[in-house]
């Protein structure tokens, strides 16, 4: 099955700096890569996703890049704010599969 | 718009006790899922229901059973709880299975088995 690895496990940045979280996957058939943000005491919420026919996608301060050849994808958060502090999860899935495979999460702390 | 609702929010069980975790979604989604979340291990799929009337095992199904009661509701049952089942459980739904639509999560049930 698919194996998704996520790094780093913890990340601290100063407010206003950028944060980058990286994930790798093993199954070349994976073609959908969502990112979730989980705040304390809540369930994960989708913040951005990318499909394999696209190399980059942006939504305001958040962007995701995908390198299919290298089988890795990354989340970029620019101009970080304290409310960006949360745990972020990457995931991968295939169009024919019924399962999402999650990374182990990155705890992001934005220091005011 | 409630989305995905899970009950209870917290539960403490003694080893060997049984309980059912309830989940309901009001988005008319076809697929529903149960995940468990443990420190350092991310989210692991226990069972899923691709559509009403079907259920399938995920990555970690041992010790659990599920029922897709109707399109809205998907319950998770622990027949004889064990300390290894101490975890946070999340229910999720999606419009269709797999990569064609993203997951929507509930806020979780924190279960402790002593």
């Amino acid at each position: 099955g698919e194996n998704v690895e996520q790094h780093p496990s913890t990340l601290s940045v100063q407010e206003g700096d950028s944060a980058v979280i990286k994930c790798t996957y093993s199954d070349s058939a994976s073609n959908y890569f969502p990112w979730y943000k989980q705040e304390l005491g809540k369930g994960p919420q989708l913040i951005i996703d990318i499909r394999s026919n696209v190399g980059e996608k942006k939504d305001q301060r958040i962007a995701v890049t995908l390198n299919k050849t290298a089988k890795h994808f990354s989340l970029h958060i620019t101009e970080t704010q304290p409310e960006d502090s949360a745990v972020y999860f990457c995931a991968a899935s295939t169009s024919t599969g019924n399962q999402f495979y999650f990374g182990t999460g990155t705890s992001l702390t934005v220091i005011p | 718009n409630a989305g995905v609702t899970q009950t209870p929010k917290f539960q403490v069980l003694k080893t060997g006790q049984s309980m059912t975790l309830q989940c309901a979604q009001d988005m008319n989604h076809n697929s529903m899922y149960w995940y468990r979340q443990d420190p350092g291990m991310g989210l692991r799929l226990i069972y899923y229901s691709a559509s009403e009337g079907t259920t399938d095992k995920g990555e970690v199904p041992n010790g659990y059973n599920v029922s897709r009661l109707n399109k809205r509701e998907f319950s998770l049952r622990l027949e004889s709880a064990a300390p290894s089942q101490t975890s946070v459980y999340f229910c999720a739904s999606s419009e269709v299975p797999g990569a064609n639509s993203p997951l929507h999560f509930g806020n979780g049930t924190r279960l402790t088995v002593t």
Side-chain angles (χ1 to χ4, degrees):
Chain A
E2 173 68 280
N3 181 40
V4 177
E5 295 190 356
Q6 182 172 348
H7 300 281
S9 57
T10 60
L11 179 61
S12 292
V13 299
Q14 293 288 334
E15 183 177 358
D17 286 350
S18 295
V20 181
I21 302 170
K22 298 182 179 180
C23 288
T24 61
Y25 62 98
S26 61
D27 188 349
S28 57
S30 290
N31 60 358
Y32 176 61
F33 307 93
W35 285 89
Y36 289 85
K37 176 183 181 183
Q38 185 178 23
E39 297 176 339
L40 198 61
K42 300 207 172 170
Q45 280 197 306
L46 179 74
I47 55 171
I48 195 167
D49 56 10
I50 191 167
R51 296 188 187 272
S52 60
N53 57 347
V54 175
E56 183 176 3
K57 184 177 178 180
K58 285 185 181 179
D59 183 2
Q60 298 182 330
R61 297 185 297 107
I62 294 173
V64 57
T65 58
L66 171 64
N67 183 326
K68 282 199 68 181
T69 303
K71 296 200 192 73
H72 67 71
F73 56 112
S74 300
L75 178 71
H76 305 253
I77 306 174
T78 58
E79 299 171 23
T80 52
Q81 301 168 4
E83 51 265 38
D84 294 329
S85 295
V87 178
Y88 292 81
F89 290 96
C90 63
S93 183
T94 65
S95 59
T96 55
N98 290 320
Q99 297 190 34
F100 286 86
Y101 297 89
F102 285 84
T104 50
T106 296
S107 178
L108 173 65
T109 301
V110 179
I111 304 164
Chain B
N1 187 359
V4 178
T5 303
Q6 292 183 237
T7 56
K9 287 183 170 42
F10 302 94
Q11 183 72 49
V12 178
L13 292 178
K14 294 188 188 304
T15 298
Q17 288 185 318
S18 62
M19 79 161 295
T20 300
L21 281 64
Q22 306 287 354
C23 175
Q25 52 92 8
D26 63 3
M27 296 173 282
N28 201 35
H29 284 173
N30 289 296
S31 303
M32 297 186 74
Y33 310 79
W34 277 104
Y35 286 88
R36 59 178 288 172
Q37 183 176 37
D38 302 292
M41 302 193 75
L43 291 148
R44 293 182 293 167
L45 184 64
I46 305 170
Y47 270 94
Y48 65 97
S49 172
S51 60
E52 187 179 356
T54 69
T55 60
D56 285 285
K57 295 178 180 179
E59 183 184 354
V60 288
N62 291 345
Y64 305 96
N65 284 301
V66 291
S67 295
R68 183 76 183 264
L69 303 169
N70 48 54
K71 191 172 184 179
R72 290 186 63 247
E73 298 172 288
F74 188 40
S75 62
L76 178 72
R77 182 158 179 86
L78 287 70
E79 289 292 351
S80 178
S84 61
Q85 294 178 305
T86 293
S87 188
V88 181
Y89 291 85
F90 288 99
C91 177
S93 69
S94 64
E95 191 171 351
V96 293
N100 294 307
S101 62
L103 296 172
H104 298 258
F105 286 88
N107 283 330
T109 295
R110 185 175 293 275
L111 175 67
T112 301
V113 183
T114 61

